[in-house]
Amino acid sequence: MTTLTPVATRSQATPLTSSAIKSILRKPSTVLGRRSREEDGESSDSLPGSSPVKKRKTVMFNDKLNMIKEFGGKTLDDAKREVKQALEGHARGDDEDYDGLKEIFCPSPKRTIVEEEDADAPQPQDLQVYVVALTSHAPLLDRSCSGLIRAVLSCTWLDRDDVFARAYIQLLAALSAKVSFRQQALSMMVDKFTETRSSTVEVVPGFPPVDSETKKERLHLGLKYLLELYADARPMILDIVTHNFPHTEESKTRHMEYIDHLLRLKADKPDLERDIMELILSRLVKLDVEMTLDLENDDDETTRAVLRQLEASNVKSDDEDDDAMSDADSDDEDEEESDEQTRRILLLKSKLETMDAILDLLFSIYDPVFADPDSPEALATFEDLLTDFVNVILPHLKSRHTQYLLFKFAMKSNRLMEMFIGTLFNIAFQSTRAPVVKQAAVAYLASFTARGARVQSDQVQLIAQTFLDYIDHYRNTHTSCRGPDIRRYGQYYAYFQGLLYIFCFRWRDLIDRDEVPASFDWDDPASFLGQDLPWMKGLRQRLQVNIASKLNPLKCCSPIIVDEFARLSHHLRLIYIYPQIEKNKTIHLSQFFTSSYATGGALRDSGFEFDHENWTHIEACFPFDPFQLPVAKRWLDLDKNYVEWRSIAMLEKGGDDDSDSEDDEDDDDVSEDGMGEIGDASDYESDEEVEVGGVEHDDESTDEERDDGYHGSFRRI
């Protein structure tokens, strides 16, 4: 680069057809003033080929962007003289010429109408000479010139020709020498991110229409140039693009247009890549969490209607979606409150489509990197994803879909899978982490182990063994426990619930395969029902001890998961826990809200129960519940990578009244067969006496109800 000195050169081309540009300085016969000057027809040949310019600031400019020519009868020196006089007059308090200069860059509607009838008025294609002139006098601009700066930044520069765009970029670079103006220039350019759509065409008189791609190229040429010139522009641009990111209620098209510009910015400035990708991911998580909460607060019929709308519009283009949304909004506004439900469904549908499109785009960006999952590039990228996961995704357990970026690529190789599992374990056991984050890590561990089809049996057993070790250690170090308390022992209940969840999905992997008779069919889960199975060492005994302890985890774990574990463990002859479940129904929990709680004051009371289940049960929220986005779903290869939920009713052969009666008979035979039963003191050490057996469990009355409950919890449709 070299120091650029504006140079006026003799125009070799045919003069422009527009009339000679009118001076912005005052003349008695114009609204711009009364200043007399030489005729506009004065020859420009008298201009020297290069005139010395006083150097005010050392700024390195790109010579290729400096395109200066003579316009009509107006020379560059004439324009410079007028601009300088306008700025000097403004400094003295005389604003007539200054106001005229503002009108040149951003003409008012009234003036535009007048100038269309005035052949001597400045034409749109004549603006470039003033752009170049103002560039040379940029050091004269200060805070008092904020009005002129706003006028310059309001100029429609993307819709002109390349020569003008390059000259304008030079002007922005000169203005940006002052930090306050630099912030405004960058903000103006980011504002253009959502104004470059192909459907947004603004034709400047005297110039041909400019297509969307050309405008984007010009915009990012300017951004790249400013970021190269000024080092402190980097944090500025990050703050601006973060602040200007579209709100969740805005359309999918607006989101995707903005993200396209962010990706172009990332390509131009690779040092911004990590910040930009984290920004996109954080806004996706925000949208994801918001959608989860919205759907949880709506009734089932609204949720089903949203999904139907989403599937029906899957083949529509972006423009069609926008038109449909705007038409629907217009119709709704014309109708009364009876259509409020329709409007909400359309809004939720729009958010889901936006989330689907963003996640689909992210999959398409990352997927080529993991073509060789063990390559250095893939490992480095996955480490970046893990960092974003820890900082952005993990703290929000309500996120439903964004985390599948990690799920998909962790399934690519055993090394990536171990990196993900290791990260989760490190967070779960890290003492400096907030309890809510540690519990979220446990939920991710349990969900990934349960749902990941490529998680091998030895890995499942290792993770289950680690969970068992933790709950045993926790129980042994909290011997003063008086009763179940989710607020004090939340971490313990999180691990225990995660263990139950893993069992519900991967119970076959918790069986010692070396001890299983050859007659068992591993491809037919139903063949294991009602059999005495060789479980992983210590599984039955350690579960018994913890369930019978005063921590009473069955009371504080999600009832849905506890019920399904009870059914499976009963049919698989692992452990019989219905007596404890029935006894827990008579236990009511309460806690002090005063400072006594901080000193260990927690009561188990028989007459008080918190109204909200969150006070008494760990939420049944597991991050890798079924993926519902129709477009992005194509990247996941769920048939090979994902374990679908199969309830006990789906495993049973029969399923009519006969099978129900057989279940009742099985209940009677449980203790005789020696299956572990809570309350059998000979099987474990207990610090709390638990009622033994004798509680009837009516499978016939509960099987169908429980299946309905799992329809919402395990499959999340």
PDB file of all heavy atoms in Angstrom, residues 254-274:
ATOM      1  N   ARG A 254     -35.169 -12.951   6.754  1.00  0.00           N
ATOM      2  CA  ARG A 254     -34.339 -11.899   7.342  1.00  0.00           C
ATOM      3  C   ARG A 254     -33.184 -12.507   8.134  1.00  0.00           C
ATOM      4  O   ARG A 254     -32.041 -12.031   8.064  1.00  0.00           O
ATOM      5  CB  ARG A 254     -35.204 -11.016   8.237  1.00  0.00           C
ATOM      6  CG  ARG A 254     -34.514  -9.733   8.701  1.00  0.00           C
ATOM      7  CD  ARG A 254     -35.483  -8.862   9.471  1.00  0.00           C
ATOM      8  NE  ARG A 254     -34.887  -7.608   9.874  1.00  0.00           N
ATOM      9  CZ  ARG A 254     -34.843  -6.502   9.148  1.00  0.00           C
ATOM     10  NH1 ARG A 254     -35.364  -6.525   7.930  1.00  0.00           N
ATOM     11  NH2 ARG A 254     -34.294  -5.393   9.589  1.00  0.00           N
ATOM     12  N   HIS A 255     -33.469 -13.558   8.891  1.00  0.00           N
ATOM     13  CA  HIS A 255     -32.402 -14.238   9.629  1.00  0.00           C
ATOM     14  C   HIS A 255     -31.342 -14.801   8.694  1.00  0.00           C
ATOM     15  O   HIS A 255     -30.134 -14.623   8.910  1.00  0.00           O
ATOM     16  CB  HIS A 255     -32.994 -15.382  10.461  1.00  0.00           C
ATOM     17  CG  HIS A 255     -33.499 -14.974  11.808  1.00  0.00           C
ATOM     18  ND1 HIS A 255     -34.768 -14.465  12.005  1.00  0.00           N
ATOM     19  CD2 HIS A 255     -32.911 -14.985  13.035  1.00  0.00           C
ATOM     20  CE1 HIS A 255     -34.935 -14.197  13.288  1.00  0.00           C
ATOM     21  NE2 HIS A 255     -33.832 -14.498  13.940  1.00  0.00           N
ATOM     22  N   MET A 256     -31.785 -15.487   7.652  1.00  0.00           N
ATOM     23  CA  MET A 256     -30.826 -16.149   6.769  1.00  0.00           C
ATOM     24  C   MET A 256     -30.002 -15.133   5.982  1.00  0.00           C
ATOM     25  O   MET A 256     -28.817 -15.361   5.709  1.00  0.00           O
ATOM     26  CB  MET A 256     -31.555 -17.095   5.824  1.00  0.00           C
ATOM     27  CG  MET A 256     -32.319 -18.209   6.529  1.00  0.00           C
ATOM     28  SD  MET A 256     -31.342 -19.084   7.779  1.00  0.00           S
ATOM     29  CE  MET A 256     -30.133 -19.890   6.732  1.00  0.00           C
ATOM     30  N   GLU A 257     -30.606 -14.011   5.619  1.00  0.00           N
ATOM     31  CA  GLU A 257     -29.862 -12.959   4.923  1.00  0.00           C
ATOM     32  C   GLU A 257     -28.771 -12.387   5.829  1.00  0.00           C
ATOM     33  O   GLU A 257     -27.635 -12.176   5.411  1.00  0.00           O
ATOM     34  CB  GLU A 257     -30.825 -11.853   4.492  1.00  0.00           C
ATOM     35  CG  GLU A 257     -30.176 -10.722   3.704  1.00  0.00           C
ATOM     36  CD  GLU A 257     -29.808 -11.121   2.287  1.00  0.00           C
ATOM     37  OE1 GLU A 257     -30.241 -12.199   1.835  1.00  0.00           O
ATOM     38  OE2 GLU A 257     -29.086 -10.350   1.626  1.00  0.00           O
ATOM     39  N   TYR A 258     -29.134 -12.160   7.081  1.00  0.00           N
ATOM     40  CA  TYR A 258     -28.167 -11.608   8.031  1.00  0.00           C
ATOM     41  C   TYR A 258     -27.023 -12.597   8.274  1.00  0.00           C
ATOM     42  O   TYR A 258     -25.842 -12.212   8.293  1.00  0.00           O
ATOM     43  CB  TYR A 258     -28.884 -11.285   9.343  1.00  0.00           C
ATOM     44  CG  TYR A 258     -28.095 -10.410  10.285  1.00  0.00           C
ATOM     45  CD1 TYR A 258     -28.170  -9.025  10.208  1.00  0.00           C
ATOM     46  CD2 TYR A 258     -27.273 -10.960  11.259  1.00  0.00           C
ATOM     47  CE1 TYR A 258     -27.455  -8.211  11.072  1.00  0.00           C
ATOM     48  CE2 TYR A 258     -26.548 -10.160  12.127  1.00  0.00           C
ATOM     49  CZ  TYR A 258     -26.645  -8.781  12.032  1.00  0.00           C
ATOM     50  OH  TYR A 258     -25.925  -7.982  12.880  1.00  0.00           O
ATOM     51  N   ILE A 259     -27.359 -13.856   8.448  1.00  0.00           N
ATOM     52  CA  ILE A 259     -26.329 -14.872   8.695  1.00  0.00           C
ATOM     53  C   ILE A 259     -25.437 -15.037   7.472  1.00  0.00           C
ATOM     54  O   ILE A 259     -24.222 -15.268   7.607  1.00  0.00           O
ATOM     55  CB  ILE A 259     -26.994 -16.203   9.093  1.00  0.00           C
ATOM     56  CG1 ILE A 259     -27.642 -16.061  10.475  1.00  0.00           C
ATOM     57  CG2 ILE A 259     -25.985 -17.347   9.094  1.00  0.00           C
ATOM     58  CD1 ILE A 259     -28.442 -17.259  10.903  1.00  0.00           C
ATOM     59  N   ASP A 260     -25.995 -14.910   6.283  1.00  0.00           N
ATOM     60  CA  ASP A 260     -25.173 -14.980   5.069  1.00  0.00           C
ATOM     61  C   ASP A 260     -24.096 -13.893   5.084  1.00  0.00           C
ATOM     62  O   ASP A 260     -22.938 -14.140   4.731  1.00  0.00           O
ATOM     63  CB  ASP A 260     -26.061 -14.829   3.833  1.00  0.00           C
ATOM     64  CG  ASP A 260     -25.256 -14.794   2.545  1.00  0.00           C
ATOM     65  OD1 ASP A 260     -24.599 -15.806   2.213  1.00  0.00           O
ATOM     66  OD2 ASP A 260     -25.258 -13.740   1.863  1.00  0.00           O
ATOM     67  N   HIS A 261     -24.462 -12.701   5.518  1.00  0.00           N
ATOM     68  CA  HIS A 261     -23.478 -11.616   5.615  1.00  0.00           C
ATOM     69  C   HIS A 261     -22.434 -11.917   6.695  1.00  0.00           C
ATOM     70  O   HIS A 261     -21.250 -11.606   6.517  1.00  0.00           O
ATOM     71  CB  HIS A 261     -24.182 -10.295   5.906  1.00  0.00           C
ATOM     72  CG  HIS A 261     -24.822  -9.669   4.708  1.00  0.00           C
ATOM     73  ND1 HIS A 261     -24.111  -9.011   3.744  1.00  0.00           N
ATOM     74  CD2 HIS A 261     -26.119  -9.608   4.317  1.00  0.00           C
ATOM     75  CE1 HIS A 261     -24.932  -8.557   2.797  1.00  0.00           C
ATOM     76  NE2 HIS A 261     -26.161  -8.912   3.131  1.00  0.00           N
ATOM     77  N   LEU A 262     -22.867 -12.498   7.801  1.00  0.00           N
ATOM     78  CA  LEU A 262     -21.903 -12.858   8.840  1.00  0.00           C
ATOM     79  C   LEU A 262     -20.897 -13.876   8.325  1.00  0.00           C
ATOM     80  O   LEU A 262     -19.693 -13.786   8.623  1.00  0.00           O
ATOM     81  CB  LEU A 262     -22.637 -13.429  10.057  1.00  0.00           C
ATOM     82  CG  LEU A 262     -23.479 -12.449  10.880  1.00  0.00           C
ATOM     83  CD1 LEU A 262     -24.139 -13.176  12.049  1.00  0.00           C
ATOM     84  CD2 LEU A 262     -22.642 -11.284  11.394  1.00  0.00           C
ATOM     85  N   LEU A 263     -21.355 -14.831   7.545  1.00  0.00           N
ATOM     86  CA  LEU A 263     -20.445 -15.841   6.998  1.00  0.00           C
ATOM     87  C   LEU A 263     -19.495 -15.233   5.970  1.00  0.00           C
ATOM     88  O   LEU A 263     -18.333 -15.643   5.864  1.00  0.00           O
ATOM     89  CB  LEU A 263     -21.248 -16.983   6.379  1.00  0.00           C
ATOM     90  CG  LEU A 263     -22.111 -17.785   7.370  1.00  0.00           C
ATOM     91  CD1 LEU A 263     -22.904 -18.855   6.637  1.00  0.00           C
ATOM     92  CD2 LEU A 263     -21.252 -18.413   8.455  1.00  0.00           C
ATOM     93  N   ARG A 264     -19.963 -14.254   5.216  1.00  0.00           N
ATOM     94  CA  ARG A 264     -19.072 -13.545   4.285  1.00  0.00           C
ATOM     95  C   ARG A 264     -18.018 -12.757   5.069  1.00  0.00           C
ATOM     96  O   ARG A 264     -16.850 -12.709   4.684  1.00  0.00           O
ATOM     97  CB  ARG A 264     -19.876 -12.595   3.397  1.00  0.00           C
ATOM     98  CG  ARG A 264     -20.743 -13.293   2.350  1.00  0.00           C
ATOM     99  CD  ARG A 264     -21.665 -12.299   1.661  1.00  0.00           C
ATOM    100  NE  ARG A 264     -22.545 -12.939   0.710  1.00  0.00           N
ATOM    101  CZ  ARG A 264     -22.356 -12.967  -0.608  1.00  0.00           C
ATOM    102  NH1 ARG A 264     -21.288 -12.350  -1.122  1.00  0.00           N
ATOM    103  NH2 ARG A 264     -23.210 -13.571  -1.408  1.00  0.00           N
ATOM    104  N   LEU A 265     -18.450 -12.141   6.150  1.00  0.00           N
ATOM    105  CA  LEU A 265     -17.509 -11.402   6.996  1.00  0.00           C
ATOM    106  C   LEU A 265     -16.465 -12.351   7.580  1.00  0.00           C
ATOM    107  O   LEU A 265     -15.273 -12.031   7.639  1.00  0.00           O
ATOM    108  CB  LEU A 265     -18.280 -10.689   8.108  1.00  0.00           C
ATOM    109  CG  LEU A 265     -17.473  -9.858   9.097  1.00  0.00           C
ATOM    110  CD1 LEU A 265     -16.713  -8.740   8.387  1.00  0.00           C
ATOM    111  CD2 LEU A 265     -18.396  -9.276  10.177  1.00  0.00           C
ATOM    112  N   LYS A 266     -16.906 -13.526   7.982  1.00  0.00           N
ATOM    113  CA  LYS A 266     -15.982 -14.540   8.507  1.00  0.00           C
ATOM    114  C   LYS A 266     -14.974 -14.972   7.452  1.00  0.00           C
ATOM    115  O   LYS A 266     -13.788 -15.162   7.744  1.00  0.00           O
ATOM    116  CB  LYS A 266     -16.781 -15.752   8.987  1.00  0.00           C
ATOM    117  CG  LYS A 266     -15.942 -16.940   9.412  1.00  0.00           C
ATOM    118  CD  LYS A 266     -16.815 -18.087   9.878  1.00  0.00           C
ATOM    119  CE  LYS A 266     -17.479 -18.795   8.721  1.00  0.00           C
ATOM    120  NZ  LYS A 266     -16.537 -19.637   7.953  1.00  0.00           N
ATOM    121  N   ALA A 267     -15.437 -15.116   6.211  1.00  0.00           N
ATOM    122  CA  ALA A 267     -14.534 -15.524   5.140  1.00  0.00           C
ATOM    123  C   ALA A 267     -13.498 -14.438   4.836  1.00  0.00           C
ATOM    124  O   ALA A 267     -12.331 -14.747   4.547  1.00  0.00           O
ATOM    125  CB  ALA A 267     -15.340 -15.854   3.888  1.00  0.00           C
ATOM    126  N   ASP A 268     -13.910 -13.173   4.926  1.00  0.00           N
ATOM    127  CA  ASP A 268     -12.982 -12.077   4.655  1.00  0.00           C
ATOM    128  C   ASP A 268     -11.981 -11.881   5.799  1.00  0.00           C
ATOM    129  O   ASP A 268     -10.833 -11.497   5.565  1.00  0.00           O
ATOM    130  CB  ASP A 268     -13.762 -10.771   4.446  1.00  0.00           C
ATOM    131  CG  ASP A 268     -14.523 -10.766   3.130  1.00  0.00           C
ATOM    132  OD1 ASP A 268     -14.127 -11.511   2.206  1.00  0.00           O
ATOM    133  OD2 ASP A 268     -15.527 -10.031   3.016  1.00  0.00           O
ATOM    134  N   LYS A 269     -12.445 -12.126   7.024  1.00  0.00           N
ATOM    135  CA  LYS A 269     -11.592 -11.927   8.201  1.00  0.00           C
ATOM    136  C   LYS A 269     -11.601 -13.201   9.034  1.00  0.00           C
ATOM    137  O   LYS A 269     -12.395 -13.351   9.979  1.00  0.00           O
ATOM    138  CB  LYS A 269     -12.092 -10.738   9.030  1.00  0.00           C
ATOM    139  CG  LYS A 269     -12.041  -9.407   8.294  1.00  0.00           C
ATOM    140  CD  LYS A 269     -10.605  -8.986   7.980  1.00  0.00           C
ATOM    141  CE  LYS A 269      -9.834  -8.681   9.226  1.00  0.00           C
ATOM    142  NZ  LYS A 269      -8.432  -8.282   8.938  1.00  0.00           N
ATOM    143  N   PRO A 270     -10.758 -14.172   8.717  1.00  0.00           N
ATOM    144  CA  PRO A 270     -10.751 -15.451   9.450  1.00  0.00           C
ATOM    145  C   PRO A 270     -10.553 -15.310  10.953  1.00  0.00           C
ATOM    146  O   PRO A 270     -10.980 -16.180  11.709  1.00  0.00           O
ATOM    147  CB  PRO A 270      -9.581 -16.205   8.803  1.00  0.00           C
ATOM    148  CG  PRO A 270      -9.447 -15.611   7.434  1.00  0.00           C
ATOM    149  CD  PRO A 270      -9.799 -14.160   7.606  1.00  0.00           C
ATOM    150  N   ASP A 271      -9.924 -14.229  11.389  1.00  0.00           N
ATOM    151  CA  ASP A 271      -9.722 -14.065  12.826  1.00  0.00           C
ATOM    152  C   ASP A 271     -11.028 -13.797  13.564  1.00  0.00           C
ATOM    153  O   ASP A 271     -11.077 -13.860  14.800  1.00  0.00           O
ATOM    154  CB  ASP A 271      -8.734 -12.928  13.098  1.00  0.00           C
ATOM    155  CG  ASP A 271      -9.194 -11.602  12.526  1.00  0.00           C
ATOM    156  OD1 ASP A 271      -9.607 -11.578  11.347  1.00  0.00           O
ATOM    157  OD2 ASP A 271      -9.150 -10.590  13.252  1.00  0.00           O
ATOM    158  N   LEU A 272     -12.108 -13.515  12.820  1.00  0.00           N
ATOM    159  CA  LEU A 272     -13.412 -13.304  13.435  1.00  0.00           C
ATOM    160  C   LEU A 272     -14.244 -14.586  13.471  1.00  0.00           C
ATOM    161  O   LEU A 272     -15.362 -14.579  13.986  1.00  0.00           O
ATOM    162  CB  LEU A 272     -14.194 -12.230  12.666  1.00  0.00           C
ATOM    163  CG  LEU A 272     -13.620 -10.814  12.654  1.00  0.00           C
ATOM    164  CD1 LEU A 272     -14.480  -9.916  11.772  1.00  0.00           C
ATOM    165  CD2 LEU A 272     -13.533 -10.253  14.057  1.00  0.00           C
ATOM    166  N   GLU A 273     -13.722 -15.672  12.923  1.00  0.00           N
ATOM    167  CA  GLU A 273     -14.519 -16.887  12.741  1.00  0.00           C
ATOM    168  C   GLU A 273     -15.097 -17.400  14.054  1.00  0.00           C
ATOM    169  O   GLU A 273     -16.292 -17.697  14.152  1.00  0.00           O
ATOM    170  CB  GLU A 273     -13.676 -17.978  12.086  1.00  0.00           C
ATOM    171  CG  GLU A 273     -14.440 -19.283  11.904  1.00  0.00           C
ATOM    172  CD  GLU A 273     -13.638 -20.314  11.135  1.00  0.00           C
ATOM    173  OE1 GLU A 273     -12.487 -20.024  10.742  1.00  0.00           O
ATOM    174  OE2 GLU A 273     -14.165 -21.411  10.932  1.00  0.00           O
ATOM    175  N   ARG A 274     -14.280 -17.529  15.092  1.00  0.00           N
ATOM    176  CA  ARG A 274     -14.764 -18.094  16.337  1.00  0.00           C
ATOM    177  C   ARG A 274     -15.865 -17.237  16.938  1.00  0.00           C
ATOM    178  O   ARG A 274     -16.889 -17.756  17.420  1.00  0.00           O
ATOM    179  CB  ARG A 274     -13.600 -18.225  17.336  1.00  0.00           C
ATOM    180  CG  ARG A 274     -12.550 -19.219  16.923  1.00  0.00           C
ATOM    181  CD  ARG A 274     -13.062 -20.658  16.954  1.00  0.00           C
ATOM    182  NE  ARG A 274     -13.592 -21.011  18.244  1.00  0.00           N
ATOM    183  CZ  ARG A 274     -14.864 -21.343  18.468  1.00  0.00           C
ATOM    184  NH1 ARG A 274     -15.732 -21.401  17.474  1.00  0.00           N
ATOM    185  NH2 ARG A 274     -15.289 -21.631  19.674  1.00  0.00           N
TER     186      ARG A 274
END
